[in-house]
Amino acid sequence: MGTVGRRAWKTIEWILLIGVGLVFVFPFLWMFITAFKTMPEVYQFPPSWWPNSWQFENFRIAWSSGPFLTYVWNSLIVALGTLVLQFLIGVPAAYSFARYRFKGRNMLFGLSLIALMIPSQVIFLPVYVQMSHWGLVDTLWALILPFGASAFGIFLLRQAFMQVPDEVIEAARLDNASEWKIMWTIMVPLAKPVLVTFGLFSFIYHWNDYFWPLIMTNSDTVRTLPIGISMLKAAEGGKQWNVIMAGNMILVFPILIVFFFAQRHIINAFVYQSK
Amino acid sequence: MKKVKASLVACAFGLTAVLAGCGGGSQQSGGTNQSPANASAPASTSASAPASSKPVEIDFWYALGGRNGEIIQEMVKKFNDSQKDIVVKASYQGSYYENHSKVLAAVSAGNQPDVTMVEVGSIGAFADAKVLEELEPYTNGAEKKYIPGLLGNSYWKDKLYAIPFNRSTPLLYLNRDMLKAAGLDPEGPKTWEELRQYAKTLTKKEGDKTATYGFSTAIDIWFYEALVFQSGGSILTEDNKALAINSEAGKAPIEFWTSMLKEGIMKAPPGEKYNAWDVAKQDFLNGQVGMIFTSTGDLRGLKENAKFDVGAAFMPANKSYGAPTGGANLVILAKSSDEEKKAAWEFINWMTDTAQTVPFSLESGYMPVTTEAVESAEMKAAYEKEPNFQVAVKQLEYASPRPMVPGYKELQEVIMTEIQRAVLGQATVDEALQKADEKGQKLLKK
Amino acid sequence: MQKAMAASDGMLLQKQARRGHHQVWLERMRPYLYIAPALTFFFLFFLFPIGYVIYLSFFDWSLLNLEEMDWVGLDNFSELLAESDFHQVLGNSFIYTVSTVFLGILISFFLALWLNRSARVYGIIQAAVFSPHIISLVSIAMLWMWLMDPQYGLLNALLEMVGLPGYTWLADPKSSLMSLVLVSIWKGVGYNTIVFIAGLQSIPKDIYEAAELDHSPWWRTLTRLTIPMLSPTLFFLLVINTVSSFQVFDTIYVMTQGGPVNSTNMLVFYIYEQGMDFYNGGAASAASVILLVVVGILTLLHFRLMGKRVHYQ
C-alpha cells in the first residue's frame, strides 16, 4: 500500500475513532446542554444545539425539590458503611480461607462463591419479607446489611493473601505476634492495591444503586440520591426535562470528573474482576 | 500499626452511631405502638406523655407534586402555625401509585404515616385490608358538610373511611383561540359526534405529517370509565362482583377512539400512566393539539402556562353526560396510636374545612369539598371571574363514583393493557374487550 | 508452600499448646471463628432467602398482611405458567438476554481488537467507551428516555436531519424492547471491551510473532489463535453478561414500566409488580423461583459448554 493510501486509511480511522468516542460522550454533553435550557427551548423541535441563556435556576429547582443534602448524606453513609462492613467481615474470612487448613474449607469457600451468582434482584422479595419481620424496612440498615458479606471481596482478598510470602508470616509468628495482629497489621497493608480496587468497585456500585433503596425505603429521611433524582420526573404539566437533566448532572458529573482524573485506577479496578 | 485497627473500629462504631441516629430516630414521630424492632427506637413517644405538655407529631404522606404540592406544604405550615397541640410533618411520595405502594409497604413494616391521601379508586382496597381507621367515631356527624356527590368513594361496606380533599373530574379542555379561528363554537363540542367533527376541522396536515391534531387523550382507565358512563354503562356490575364492560357501553369508547385514531384526527400520546398525560398536556400547551381530556386539578397549571385562551367544558355526552370523580381522599391509618389518630382527625377536619378548601380549589382547580364552600360568596365571585373553575362542580351532577373494589389496581391495569392493544392495532376491538373481560373476571373471582 | 505452611502451623499449635488447653481449643476454632461472620451473613442474606422464597411460593399470601398465608401447593406455579402475560414476560426476557449478550460481546470484541494499541488516542477512546459503566443506571435511563422522546428527542432530530423518519423507540411495542437493548449495550459495552483488552494483553507476544513468521492470514490468526487464547475471558464475560441481563429493572421501571402492552415486561420487573404493586405474593414468589432456576441453569450450562472449550495457558 502506498503512503497516500495509508494516509487515507489513517484519516478514515481517525474519523471512526472520533465517531465512536462521540457515541459514548455526546449523550452526556446533551445532558449538560439540556440542563441549562429554558422550558420552551427544551420543547423545541428541531432542538436548539446550545442554550440561549444559562439557566442555573434549573439546578436550584432540582436541588430544592427535596431534601437533597439528606439524600447525599444517606448515599454516603450507605456506600461507606457497606464498604466498612464488607471489610470487617471479609478480611478475617479471606485470611482464614487463604492461610488456614481446616476441615470443610474448600466446601465452605465454594458455598460462598455461589453468592457471586445470585444478584440481589433475584432474592429481593424474601429479603424484603425478612426485613419486614425484623422491623428494618425503611432504615439504612436494610440498605447495608444484606451486602455485608461480599463474595467478590472475599475472593479478591483471598487471592491477595495467598500471595504473601510465608517467610513474612513465619517471622511474625516467631516474634510472638498474635494471629489477629498479623492479619490486620501485616496482611492488610500488603493487600492495599486489592483493597483500593475492591473499595472503588463497591463504593461506586452502592452509590449508584437504585433498585435496592427503591424496594427498601419509603421515607425521605433514608432515601438515597438516585431515588431523589428519579423523583424529579413526577412534575406537573409537561416533564421538566431541563430540571431533570440538571438534577442528573448533580449525580453524574462529579463521578465523570473523578473518572477523568483517575481513569486508569478505576478501569483497572473493574478489570480485576476478570482475573 | 495498631492505629490502623483502632481507627477502623472507631470508624465502624461511628458509623453505627450515625446509622442508629439516621435510621431509627426519625421513625419515632408518627410511629406505631408495635414493639420497636427498629434499631435504636427509644420508648414510644406517644404512650405516656400527657397530651398537653408536648405537641403530638403526626406524619402526612401526600402525592401531589409541582405547584399543587407546594400549596399543600403551605397549608400544612399554616396548620402547624395556627395551633400548638399538633405538629404535622408532610412528605411528598411521588404519584398516587407510588404513594400507595409506599403506604402499604410501610404498613406491613410497621412504620406507616398517620394521615395520607388515597386515590379514590383504591379506598376499597385499603379499607378491606384493614389499613384504614373508621372515621365516624371521630367526625360526630361532621361528614354532612361535604358535597354528597363526593362521598361516593368515602364509604366501604357502609362505614366511613375517607374524607374528600383534592377531588376532581376529568374535563374537556379547549384551545378557544384555535376553535374560534376554525369557525367553531368556542364553548366546545357537546356530544361525541360533535367532538369528532371538531377534531376533524381542527386537524391540520402538512404533507405527510400532522402538524395539529384536533383531539388527544391518554388511553387511561379514568377516561375510559368516563366514556363508559357516558354510554350508559359501568365498569362493574351493581354488586361489584363481575365486570360489565363486555357490552355496548363498554365497547363504544374503544370503537370511538380507534375510529378517530384511524381517521388521523386524534393522537394517543405515548408513555405509560401519567407520562402519557404529561405528553397530552404539553402538546396542548404547544398548540399542537386543540382539545384534550385531563383532570380539573390541572386547570390552574394549564391556564398559567398557556399562551392562548384556555376553556374547560363537560366531557361530551354519548347517551348522556357522565364522568367518574377522581382525585384523592384523606384517610387515617388504623395502626397509629389513639392520640395520633385524634390529632389526625383534627388535621383532616381543618384541611377540608371551607376556609381551606376555597383557596385550595381556586389555586389548583380541584373542586371545593364542602357545600358551604360552593355556596360561599367568595367562591361565587371567583366563579364569576373565572367560570372554568366551576365546570367540574357543575359536572358533578352527572358524575359517578369510581369503582373501588380491592384489587381494582391490578384490574384496571389488565383492562387497559388489552384496550391499548386495540388502540395500537394489535387486536380488534372485540378481541380486546373479550380478553379484558376474561382476565378481569378471573381476577375478580380471586 | 504447603510444607512451609504446615511447618508454620505446627509451630503455631505447639506454641499455643504451651499456653494451656483452652488456648488450644481457641486455636482449633480460630479458622472457623474468622469465617463465621461471613458465613452468617451469607446464610442470612443468600441461602436463607432462597429457601424462604421457595417456601413462600407454595402459599397464597400478600405483602398487605403477612400474618395470613394459605397453603396452595403448586397452584401458584400452574397459574403462572398458564398465564399468557407471563409467557410474554419470559419471551421478552429471553429475547433481551440473547440480544444484549450476543451484541454486547460481539461489538466489544471488535472494539477491543481495534482499540488495543498504545497510542494515546486509543487510551482516550477506551476511557470514553468505558465511562457509561460507572454512572448510575437511573441517570442513564432518564437521559436515554429524553434522547428517545418521539417528538423532541435528539435521536429523532438527528434522524430527520439525514432525511430519515423519526423512530418510535419506546412508544411502540414493536420497538420498545430493542430500545432497551440499545441502552443496555451502550452502558455495558465499555466494560466488556476493557476486559477483552486486558485479556488480549495477556496473550504472550511470541505466539503472534510465530504466526507472522508462518505468514498466517489475519483471519486465521484471529480464529485459530486469538479467540482460543481469549476463551477464559470470553467465558467469563458470557457468564457475567448473561446473569446481569436477567437483573434488568432500573431501565424498565424508569423508562417504560413494562409497557407498552407488556412489551418490555421482564422477570424482575414482573416480580416487583406482582409482589409490591398488586400484592400477589404467591405469584411473585413463584416467579422468583423460576428466575432462580433460569439463572442457575444458564450458569451451569455455561460452565458445562465452555468448560470444555476454555483453553487455559
Side-chain angles (χ1 to χ4, degrees), chain B residues 419-431:
Chain B
I419 291 183
Q420 283 216 354
R421 286 195 206 272
V423 163
L424 285 169
Q426 271 189 5
T428 66
V429 175
D430 285 312
E431 286 170 356

Side-chain angles (χ1 to χ4, degrees), chain B residues 97-98 100-102 104-105 107-108 125 129 131 209 267 270-273 275 279 282-283 286 288 409-410 413-414 416-418 420-421 424 426 435 439 442-443 446, chain C residues 63-66 68 79 82-85 88 145 149-152 160 171-174 253-262 269 272-274 276-280:
Chain B
Y97 295 109
E98 291 170 315
H100 288 170
S101 303
K102 291 176 191 195
L104 290 171
V107 165
S108 59
V131 168
K209 285 185 69 174
K267 176 180 174 184
E272 289 300 297
K273 305 191 177 104
N275 291 331
V279 175
Q282 195 57 50
D283 286 341
N286 284 354
Q288 290 173 329
K409 193 162 179 218
E410 188 177 0
E413 290 288 321
V414 163
M416 288 324 288
T417 303
E418 298 310 318
Q420 283 216 354
R421 286 195 206 272
L424 285 169
Q426 271 189 5
K435 217 66 202 290
K439 288 189 169 167
K442 224 166 60 175
L443 271 176
K446 275 201 200 162
Chain C
L63 274 179
L64 280 178
N65 191 350
L66 288 175
E68 283 177 35
E79 271 174 36
E83 267 234 32
S84 60
D85 282 348
Q88 203 178 356
M145 201 175 162
D149 189 288
Q151 277 177 284
Y152 304 101
E160 300 218 346
D172 190 296
K174 296 199 205 81
Y253 189 80
V254 169
M255 296 170 95
T256 62
Q257 287 279 310
V261 293
N262 281 331
F269 185 78
Y272 173 84
E273 213 183 15
Q274 290 294 320
M276 312 200 73
D277 261 353
F278 299 152
Y279 301 102
N280 296 332

Side-chain angles (χ1 to χ4, degrees), chain A residues 219-237:
Chain A
S219 316
D220 260 350
T221 44
V222 286
R223 275 193 192 135
T224 55
L225 203 50
I227 307 277
I229 300 281
S230 76
M231 290 179 67
L232 284 172
K233 274 196 333 147
E236 284 190 355

